Amino acid sequence: MTTSPSVARLVTVCVPQNRRRLLFVEAARRAGWDEPEVVPWRDLADEGIAISLPENALVRVDAPGEDVETARLLRGWDHDPDLHRVEGGADQHRGFVAALDRLSRLVTATPGARLLQQVDDLIDMCDKRRCHLRLSRAGVPVPLALPGPITGYASLRDQMAEHRMARVFVKPAHGSSASGVIALAVAPGRVRAVTSVDLVRDEDGRIRLYNSLRLRTYSSPDEVAAVVDALAPDGLHVERWVPKADVDGRVVDLRVLVVAGRATHVVVRSSRSPLTNLHLGNARGDTRALREAIGEPAWRAMLGVAEDAAAVFGSTLHAGVDVLASPDWQRFAVGEVNAFGDLLPRILHNGRDTYAEQLHALATGAFQPLSPTPVEH
């Protein structure tokens, strides 16, 4: 069954001034839809603001980031957060869950309204521990994770020793865009942590962590401990640091967007550091050249792993899957599944950008939006 723009009404939950909304609006206009109605995240996060949805609404949820007021409301703080700081992840996730619960109730109460992403899928994809557990239980290959909980640097080192992991990735449970991520390697008498975290001590000795676009390397155990101890209260997920493939001396992994169950858009992320996020000064690799170099069987196997990962969240229209390849391109694992991993400018599939691809899946019936399921968190 197809979804007709003349019957359904697009609604987007978003930060209105964010470029994600603008790109989605442009795609909707090109595809013949009316301009999507907007539900600002700041309104959804504020129970005192009344919200209504049109009948037959198709509700698409976009990222709540890059807006101070939204972050303050979601976190329940009485002061504006500094969005450059690495802080508040657990508070923001709790507010995110509560806001999505409110959205679920709104959709349920609106005749004909449906969600393009199930709220439980969004919640779990934004919690690295729960996401990893769902993938592992479904048989999707993922790096081995420490069982946790990680309460600080001492507990991290104890669990690394117990599980014989000398190299790990330490990730804030609710982080994104490599915020707070540490590539940590230890050996007798040595420690090396590569991270986007800038460790700052105030005049009174208090630790503050800031996001940096320039990676830092810490080799002092005291500094590494200070970073991990500051991150731990918001929750940590720790995985084995698996060897990655490289191209021309640069480490690579792949962001694969899966829409309606099919891998569509692929970005090769290439780095001279362990962290491949493009905003950290890394480069997009040549996707076509890589596909030719590794061969069609390996390429198809890689896409298949991405599709398997997205299928774990199969009631949700799209997911950005980060795929790690072994150095021989024979084995693949999933590093993360990103609920909002579709911001891939200038990447086309059959002439469609990531937003047009999602609308195409609706128009052709490749994806059937569902009524919400109860939030269980």
Side-chain angles (χ1 to χ4, degrees):
M1 182 176 66
T2 60
T3 299
S4 169
S6 63
V7 176
R9 188 80 173 105
L10 287 175
V11 175
T12 179
V13 178
C14 62
V15 174
Q17 66 272 26
N18 194 285
R19 63 173 173 158
R20 291 172 179 268
R21 183 189 74 84
L22 301 178
L23 291 169
F24 184 62
V25 166
E26 290 173 7
R29 286 173 176 165
R30 290 195 302 267
W33 296 79
D34 290 338
E35 181 166 331
E37 294 190 20
V38 170
V39 174
W41 264 108
R42 64 185 65 172
D43 291 357
L44 190 63
D46 186 345
E47 289 281 355
I49 295 180
I51 298 173
S52 62
L53 301 174
E55 292 188 5
N56 301 314
L58 294 179
V59 182
R60 179 180 182 276
V61 181
D62 218 327
E66 303 179 26
D67 183 67
V68 171
E69 185 180 0
T70 297
R72 178 181 61 79
L73 290 166
L74 288 175
R75 297 177 192 189
W77 292 3
D78 60 5
H79 63 279
D80 287 345
D82 181 347
L83 297 186
H84 298 289
R85 291 271 302 276
V86 187
E87 62 175 4
D91 287 344
Q92 180 141 336
H93 190 71
R94 280 189 289 270
F96 179 71
V97 172
L100 288 178
D101 178 52
R102 184 186 185 196
L103 177 65
S104 179
R105 288 183 274 114
L106 282 167
V107 173
T108 300
T110 303
R114 290 165 291 169
L115 287 166
L116 301 188
Q117 304 119 298
Q118 283 296 326
V119 292
D120 266 357
D121 287 347
L122 293 175
I123 290 166
D124 285 354
M125 280 190 272
C126 292
D127 184 324
K128 292 179 174 56
R129 298 163 301 190
R130 294 184 64 90
C131 184
H132 185 278
L133 183 61
R134 278 183 68 170
L135 294 170
S136 180
R137 286 177 172 173
V140 176
V142 288
L144 185 64
L146 293 179
I150 305 298
T151 58
Y153 185 62
S155 113
L156 171 63
R157 291 298 302 268
D158 286 345
Q159 288 202 27
M160 289 174 66
E162 179 182 353
H163 294 275
R164 298 183 179 181
M165 291 189 193
R167 288 159 46 96
V168 297
F169 270 85
V170 181
K171 304 177 181 181
H174 309 299
S176 62
S177 302
S179 175
V181 172
I182 307 167
L184 177 65
V186 302
R190 289 183 296 156
V191 61
R192 185 172 187 268
V194 180
T195 179
S196 59
V197 171
D198 187 11
L199 172 65
V200 176
R201 294 182 187 272
D202 288 347
E203 291 182 359
D204 59 5
R206 289 185 302 173
I207 298 293
R208 296 186 185 275
L209 305 182
Y210 288 86
N211 287 307
S212 172
L213 297 179
R214 183 174 65 85
L215 293 181
R216 265 62 172 172
T217 299
Y218 298 105
S219 55
S220 160
D222 289 343
E223 288 183 325
V224 177
V227 173
V228 175
D229 288 346
L231 292 171
D234 270 341
L236 293 174
H237 174 69
V238 182
E239 294 178 346
R240 186 189 297 278
W241 179 348
V242 297
K244 288 184 183 179
D246 73 86
V247 175
D248 298 329
R250 297 175 67 94
V251 171
V252 298
D253 61 17
L254 304 106
R255 165 65 59 83
V256 181
L257 183 68
V258 180
V259 178
R262 304 299 299 174
T264 55
H265 302 69
V266 180
V267 173
V268 179
R269 307 188 303 183
S270 171
S271 176
R272 297 196 183 279
S273 81
L275 277 65
T276 57
N277 301 73
L278 295 179
H279 74 284
L280 297 177
N282 297 317
R284 286 184 179 183
D286 187 327
T287 305
R288 180 177 297 178
L290 178 63
R291 182 172 184 169
E292 292 176 354
I294 69 174
E296 201 62 20
W299 185 261
R300 288 293 170 190
M302 181 274 295
L303 296 182
V305 168
E307 291 173 351
D308 288 345
V312 175
F313 308 94
S315 297
T316 286
L317 173 58
H318 64 89
V321 183
D322 292 344
V323 182
L324 318 176
S326 64
D328 60 3
W329 292 96
Q330 296 302 302
R331 297 177 307 282
F332 303 93
V334 173
E336 294 186 18
V337 181
N338 302 272
F340 309 116
D342 55 349
L343 182 60
L344 305 175
R346 303 181 304 281
I347 302 297
L348 302 179
H349 173 256
N350 292 335
R352 294 183 291 270
D353 67 15
T354 58
Y355 303 99
E357 190 71 41
Q358 294 165 44
L359 295 169
H360 178 73
L362 293 174
T364 59
F367 179 80
Q368 296 297 323
L370 299 174
S371 298
T373 56
V375 178
E376 298 179 355
H377 296 259

